[in-house]
Amino acid sequence: MPELPEVETTRAGLAPHLEGRRVSGVVLRRPDLRWPIPPEVPALLPGQRILAVRRRAKYLLLDTAAGSALLHLGMSGSLRVLPSSTPVREHDHVDLLLGSRRVLRFNDPRRFGCLLWQAPGEVHPLLRGLGPEPLSDAFDGDYLFARSRGRRAPVKTFLMDQRIVVGVGNIYAAEALHRAGISPLRPAGRVSRERYRALADAVRAILAHAIARGGTTLRDFLAPDGAPGYFEQELSAYGRGGEPCPRCGRPLRQALVGQRTTAWCGHCQR
DNA sequence: CGTATTCCCTGCACGC
DNA sequence: TGCGTGCAGGGAATAC
């Protein structure tokens, strides 16, 4: 499932194939993704040169002079640059044709993803109000401390709120809290500045590490499939309820926090 | 405004 | 073997 590191990996993998290339056509096989694909995509994109491939939060932007294609992979989406002759498979919803030899193909079984349009000089409503990038200078413990004052929601819910910081989903929230020794249940407003510094450092370290590992799958980006393998092996808390805590050996607890399954160590995380 | 809940969708792991 | 059930996930929409 694409988390921020996978989206960043996708961006880095696509950029050399797309930047400078002209979109020669658009094929819509299933326009009803999470939202309908707006008419601007087939109307304005053909003939445009892709100037840059950018990422904001978990969104990808393909910039052209006429506007930007805005893509989200949802939780099951994938983007691949393939030879034009590649047979269409189930859930291949959209193709951006890149001349006669290559195609950018969007596959998304669950259709939680989207393909939208952002006019030049505008910021799409979905991108307004987003918090800072977790790997930028704007994100640190002092920032989290300031934003959390007076909040009673669990710190895990707070950390997963994209208005606070983008790109931290259920997996990385659980991992970062375990690493920082903070209980996911603790009200966000009752975490000290010092501990928020540890949490911000943990978020940053885990995401940077995952991106570095995702980078290893860049090479076979054109291959039929390259599922990133860093996931299961290196996780300390996520999905490990009942298993021993990697730090103290006591069994990890598991419960719903903000409607999300959450595992944590009742001893190491306070 | 902050918080809690529901829903979207499909594939897969279950248990019977 | 085949069926039904429940869960997973990001995040918008809705309801307080």
Side-chain angles (χ1 to χ4, degrees), chain A residues 15 18-23 45 47-54 61-69 120:
Chain A
L18 299 185
E19 286 178 354
R21 187 144 297 166
R22 204 172 284 280
V23 178
L45 207 45
Q48 290 297 317
R49 193 180 293 280
I50 296 173
L51 305 173
V53 182
R54 291 185 294 137
L61 292 122
L62 311 184
D63 291 337
T64 77
S68 301

Side-chain angles (χ1 to χ4, degrees), chain A residues 73-157:
Chain A
L73 300 177
M75 70 162 290
S76 60
S78 63
L79 285 168
R80 310 262 280 297
V81 175
L82 300 164
S84 303
S85 58
T86 308
V88 171
R89 299 192 296 179
E90 198 176 10
H91 309 307
D92 282 341
H93 304 311
V94 182
D95 285 352
L96 300 192
L97 308 180
L98 308 167
S100 60
R101 297 175 56 217
R102 294 277 174 93
V103 58
L104 174 67
R105 186 158 286 168
F106 181 39
N107 180 285
D108 185 7
R110 297 186 197 179
R111 308 206 326 270
F112 270 30
C114 62
L115 169 52
L116 301 170
W117 187 255
Q118 178 174 279
E122 292 193 358
V123 176
H124 194 279
L126 290 173
L127 302 184
R128 292 176 200 158
L130 291 177
E133 291 286 329
L135 297 176
S136 73
D137 290 342
F139 175 74
D140 60 19
D142 290 341
Y143 166 79
L144 286 178
F145 180 78
R147 291 296 302 269
S148 62
R149 292 308 90 187
R151 298 253 194 168
R152 287 173 299 174
V155 62
K156 175 161 177 279
T157 304

Side-chain angles (χ1 to χ4, degrees), chain A residues 205-224:
Chain A
I206 288 166
L207 289 177
H209 178 67
I211 289 171
R213 303 295 245 100
T216 63
T217 64
L218 284 181
R219 216 162 286 118
D220 49 26
F221 204 80
L222 293 173

Side-chain angles (χ1 to χ4, degrees), chain A residues 10 19-20 57 67 76 87 117 120-121 148 167-168 186 208 214 230 235 250 252 266 268-269:
Chain A
T10 297
E19 286 178 354
S76 60
W117 187 255
S148 62
V168 183
R186 178 172 287 274
Y230 68 82
L235 297 175
R250 292 176 173 84
L252 295 172
C268 297
Q269 297 177 248

